[in-house]
């Protein structure tokens, strides 16, 4: 499929409103709708509607916004109302539009005086019945990293019931020359705002605002409801319950204060249902049921139950060897890695998940789907010394850019000892992963697990410590964030990981894009959709691979891998 259009929002703009009921005016205040419209968290009878009004310079104070939901070609008003916003919530607008009908397509928009928003499309969940469900799955959209071509492709999909966002919707880094992604961002004119690392509430709000000015992201939000969960960069890199790798208390203050600012901005700027009164803001795990066909459980693995990550540089220490020489203390490191207290989820969320999985099975739904942030599979780094000659290794190393060569050599040395590829993923929490698998087993299900974070495509058969298969995992690559394959030249890292790990069926460490997961009564199909470039338009979008899961759990590769 060739993609060469800009301004997809025109599909949902004023021209699309022909024949619709007249929208009553809101407060007579001069505003713009510069950040588009969005919907999210659909239920059978309601959906979250979102926009943001931008008052003219010099205006302040409350603004009344009129919203409406339209049904059918004639534009019958299915729901409408007024809501007031202001600087206390950064002029964002969020409505829980109720009284809708199950399994229906709707349009919606907003107005303040004569100013009209674009028109968005959304869909409620079916209450019963079995019909195909199409989910677009995305993760990791670094604004300076490249163009959001994946979102232009998603906005053009002929059918999409929801977009499942697995996190890293924004990134916290600044605009310094050596900042993450700025080598590309400077060339494309995609410079982070504010131009420093974000720490305060004002910083996080401005960064969210910048992302939502992207026309392709706006088009995807206007196309279908989003079901979102954060990963780490919505706060700071490699976050956990009480800190983050990219948070320095000495200069950036209390992490709890920074986290509270990040979450307030997230709830303001994202089409996500607000936390229940008295509930933790961090506890955003929740379920969505697509009629009699599937249940989607979105879990949270960063801020509610994650213990601190291990790090090879500080946690893999040395001991005295047989001849008095220093050697790495692998036994001590593995003991720490396998500490039963290490976890990503925590007992309360895990018990909730077990109940939700069991209830979904009891309802007779054939598919249980987990929206999860980081790769679950057991993935050891590749030991190339077992598969390549010394000459081949040296030839491979010569292809690695010099800036990354020393770091890559160190990684290969660690991997030669069978150590995990990524300690920030579930591989850094093996005891917690076994408890997760235990929840699957107790519920009597083998779910489909969706994963983000890694900037790579994955197809994995997940097995517990005893070798029993517990789930199928589909990992989506990044929308625009750099992949490891981008940095290491021609080294076939994906193929090496497949060869080194029994659970890894397929891995691509370079392609960018998204997954389309299609669920029917008899099978699930995951199409790994790659965009040909994130640096220019036009671009092509094709299926890198397609895999199917039969209702009996059998995984297979589809042969039609070139359809766009």
């Amino acid at each position: 499929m060739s993609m060469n259009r800009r301004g997809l929002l025109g599909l949902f703009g004023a021209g699309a409103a022909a024949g619709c009921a007249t929208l009553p005016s809101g407060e007579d205040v001069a505003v713009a709708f510069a950040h588009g419209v969005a919907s999210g968290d659909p239920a059978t009878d309601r959906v979250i509607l979102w926009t943001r009004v931008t008052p003219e310079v010099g205006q302040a104070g409350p603004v009344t916004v009129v919203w409406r939901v339209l049904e059918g070609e004639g534009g019958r008003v299915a729901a409408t109302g007024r809501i007031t916003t202001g600087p206390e919530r950064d002029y964002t607008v969020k409505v829980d539009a109720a009284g809708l009908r199950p399994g229906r397509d709707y349009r919606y928009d907003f107005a303040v005086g004569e100013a009209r928003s674009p028109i968005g499309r959304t869909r409620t969940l079916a209450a019963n019945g079995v019909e195909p469900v199409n989910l677009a799955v995305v993760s990791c959209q670094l604004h300076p990293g490249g163009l959001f071509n994946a979102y232009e492709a998603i906005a053009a999909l002929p059918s999409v019931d929801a977009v499942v966002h697995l996190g890293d919707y924004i990134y916290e880094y600044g605009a310094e020359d050596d900042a993450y992604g700025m080598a590309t961002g400077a060339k494309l004119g995609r410079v982070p705002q504010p131009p420093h690392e974000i720490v305060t509430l004002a910083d996080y709000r401005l960064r969210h605002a910048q992302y939502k000015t992207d026309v392709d992201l706006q088009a995807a939000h206007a196309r279908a409801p989003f079901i979102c969960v954060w990963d780490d960069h919505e706060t700071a890199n490699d976050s956990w319950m009480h800190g983050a790798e990219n948070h320095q208390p000495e200069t950036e203050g209390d992490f709890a204060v920074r986290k509270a600012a990040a979450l307030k901005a997230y709830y303001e700027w994202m089409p996500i249902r607000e936390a229940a009164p008295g509930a933790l803001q961090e506890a955003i795990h929740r379920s969505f049921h697509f009629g009699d066909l599937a249940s989607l459980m979105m879990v949270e693995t960063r801020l509610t139950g994650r213990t601190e990550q291990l790090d090879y540089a500080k946690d893999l220490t040395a001991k005295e060897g047989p001849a008095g020489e220093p050697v790495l203390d692998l036994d001590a490191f593995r003991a720490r890695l396998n500490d039963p207290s290490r976890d990503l989820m925590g007992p309360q969320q895990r018990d909730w998940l077990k109940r939700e999985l069991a209830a979904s099975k009891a309802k007779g739904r054939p598919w249980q789907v987990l929206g999860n942030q980081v790769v679950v599979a057991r993935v050891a780094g590749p030991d190339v010394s077992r598969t390549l000659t010394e000459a081949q290794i040296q030839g491979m190393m010569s292809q690695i850019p010099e800036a990354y060569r020393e770091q890559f050599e160190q990684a290969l040395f660690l991997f030669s000892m069978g150590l995990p590829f990524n300690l920030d993923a579930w591989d850094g929490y093996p005891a917690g992963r076994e408890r997760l698998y235990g929840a699957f087993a107790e519920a009597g299900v083998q779910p489909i697990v969706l994963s983000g974070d890694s900037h790579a495509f994955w197809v994995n058969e997940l097995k517990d410590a005893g070798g029993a298969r517990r789930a199928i995992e589909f990992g989506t690559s990044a929308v625009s964030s750099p992949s490891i394959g981008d940095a290491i030249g021609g080294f076939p890292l994906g193929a090496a990981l497949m060869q080194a790990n029994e659970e890894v069926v397929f891995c691509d460490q370079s392609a960018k894009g998204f997954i389309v997961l299609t669920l029917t009564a008899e099978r699930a199909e995951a199409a790994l959709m790659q965009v040909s470039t994130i640096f220019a338009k036009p671009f092509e979008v094709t299926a890198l691979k397609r895999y199917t899961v039969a209702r009996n759990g059998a995984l297979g590769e589809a042969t039609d891998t070139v359809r766009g």
Side-chain angles (χ1 to χ4, degrees):
M1 180 191 300
S2 177
M3 306 295 298
N4 58 10
R5 292 166 295 161
R6 297 289 291 170
L8 276 170
L9 286 179
L11 293 174
F12 315 112
C20 296
T22 301
L23 184 63
S25 297
E27 188 173 297
D28 190 15
V29 176
V31 304
F33 290 92
H35 300 93
V37 298
S39 68
D41 277 16
T44 56
D45 66 339
R46 65 187 59 224
V47 66
I48 295 293
L49 307 179
W50 179 95
T51 193
R52 199 254 186 177
V53 297
T54 305
E56 284 188 351
V57 176
Q59 292 185 343
V63 176
T64 299
V65 182
V66 178
W67 60 271
R68 66 177 179 175
V69 180
L70 307 171
E71 182 178 7
E73 290 301 319
R76 182 184 72 83
V77 177
T80 188
R82 291 173 176 263
I83 187 171
T84 299
T85 186
E88 74 283 352
R89 58 171 299 112
D90 204 18
Y91 289 97
T92 59
V93 176
K94 191 185 293 188
V95 176
D96 198 349
L100 307 181
R101 295 194 286 177
R104 298 299 179 100
D105 293 315
Y106 291 95
R107 289 171 291 160
Y108 63 94
D109 57 7
F110 303 84
V112 177
E114 296 301 315
R116 300 290 190 267
S117 76
I119 294 178
R121 296 163 62 183
T122 192
R123 181 172 176 81
T124 54
L125 300 183
N128 48 52
V130 175
E131 55 184 288
V133 168
N134 295 291
L135 303 175
V137 184
V138 293
S139 180
C140 304
Q141 53 198 56
L142 179 67
H143 190 268
L147 303 178
F148 291 171
N149 288 342
Y151 282 125
E152 182 180 338
I154 288 171
L157 289 174
S159 177
V160 55
D161 293 280
V163 178
V164 179
H165 200 297
L166 299 175
D168 293 344
Y169 187 97
I170 65 168
Y171 281 73
E172 79 275 22
Y173 301 112
E176 299 82 8
D177 289 345
D178 60 348
Y180 189 53
M182 275 308 296
T184 298
K187 296 175 183 177
L188 295 176
R190 294 169 73 88
V191 178
Q193 295 296 325
H196 55 261
E197 184 179 328
I198 55 176
V199 177
T200 68
L201 176 59
D203 291 342
Y204 281 100
R205 283 171 164 174
L206 185 54
R207 189 62 58 84
H208 273 281
Q210 180 187 31
Y211 273 61
K212 280 205 169 65
T213 60
D214 184 274
V215 65
D216 295 323
L217 180 55
Q218 286 189 16
H221 271 300
R223 174 65 180 86
F226 272 53
I227 297 173
C228 301
V229 68
W230 56 64
D231 192 28
D232 53 340
H233 290 288
E234 287 87 349
T235 48
N237 182 55
D238 286 1
S239 55
W240 55 288
M241 280 192 295
H242 305 303
E245 178 276 333
N246 194 28
H247 180 78
Q248 291 73 46
E250 301 80 9
T251 58
E252 295 170 334
D254 187 346
F255 179 72
V257 174
R258 181 178 186 175
K259 178 177 69 173
L263 297 193
K264 178 172 173 56
Y266 187 90
Y267 277 105
E268 290 172 348
W269 279 87
M270 296 296 290
I272 182 174
R273 190 164 277 107
E274 298 289 323
L280 287 174
Q281 294 292 297
E282 296 94 324
I284 59 171
H285 52 275
R286 60 211 195 280
S287 296
F288 301 87
H289 305 295
F290 295 82
D292 300 328
L293 187 63
S295 295
L296 170 65
M297 278 69 71
M298 301 293 285
V299 300
E300 198 285 330
T301 61
R302 283 292 173 185
L303 302 177
T304 56
R306 181 189 279 254
T307 50
E308 187 173 7
Q309 299 90 339
L310 295 181
D311 180 82
Y312 287 125
K314 66 179 182 180
D315 294 306
L316 181 54
T317 56
K319 65 179 181 180
E320 187 175 296
E325 77 285 8
V327 296
L328 292 177
D329 193 345
L330 294 176
D331 292 336
F333 178 80
R334 290 192 173 109
R336 294 193 65 183
L337 181 66
N338 290 289
D339 185 334
S341 68
R342 296 187 55 72
D343 208 349
L344 284 184
M345 192 174 286
Q348 290 184 330
Q349 185 179 179
R350 189 165 45 250
D351 288 345
W352 163 84
L353 177 60
K354 183 168 57 179
R355 292 193 300 271
E356 290 291 308
L357 292 169
S360 177
K361 182 184 179 183
K363 289 283 188 180
R365 297 187 183 105
W367 304 109
Q368 290 75 42
V369 182
L370 218 65
N372 153 79
Q373 289 70 68
V374 296
V375 172
V376 181
R378 186 179 288 103
V379 183
D383 181 4
V384 296
S385 66
R386 295 188 176 187
T387 57
L388 300 178
T389 66
E390 184 61 30
Q392 288 173 321
I393 293 174
Q394 292 304 315
M396 174 195 73
M397 293 304 300
S398 67
Q399 299 179 51
I400 306 297
E402 189 172 350
Y404 300 101
R405 196 169 299 162
E406 182 178 357
Q407 182 181 357
F408 192 65
E409 287 176 341
Q410 292 173 349
L412 291 182
F413 173 68
L414 293 174
F415 297 157
S416 69
M417 295 176 283
L419 294 173
F421 183 63
N422 182 4
L423 292 175
D424 185 55
W426 281 88
D427 249 344
Y429 303 82
R433 180 170 54 198
E434 289 302 305
R435 288 189 286 269
L436 176 68
Y437 291 163
F440 295 171
E442 287 184 53
V445 298
Q446 288 197 14
I448 292 175
V449 177
L450 305 175
S451 302
D453 181 69
S454 70
H455 310 177
F457 282 119
W458 300 84
V459 179
N460 302 320
E461 292 197 88
L462 304 182
K463 298 179 180 180
D464 65 18
R469 196 179 82 165
R470 294 301 177 197
I472 297 294
E473 179 175 33
F474 296 117
T476 185
S477 188
V479 169
S480 61
S481 302
S483 301
I484 296 176
D486 300 333
I488 58 174
F491 176 64
L493 179 58
L497 290 167
M498 292 162 60
Q499 186 174 15
N501 293 281
E502 179 188 358
E503 294 185 22
V504 180
V505 177
F506 176 76
C507 181
D508 185 291
Q509 289 280 334
S510 297
K512 303 294 188 296
F514 58 100
I515 289 175
V516 174
L517 180 67
T518 300
L519 303 172
T520 66
E522 297 304 320
R523 74 173 196 169
E525 179 182 278
L528 314 184
M529 305 301 293
Q530 66 172 342
V531 295
S532 58
T533 179
I534 58 172
F535 306 122
K537 291 179 182 290
F539 64 94
E540 299 288 324
V541 57
T542 56
L544 175 66
K545 290 281 187 178
R546 294 179 188 267
Y547 283 85
T548 61
V549 183
R551 190 162 179 169
N552 65 5
L555 176 69
E557 183 179 351
T559 57
D560 54 340
T561 59
V562 295
R563 289 190 285 124

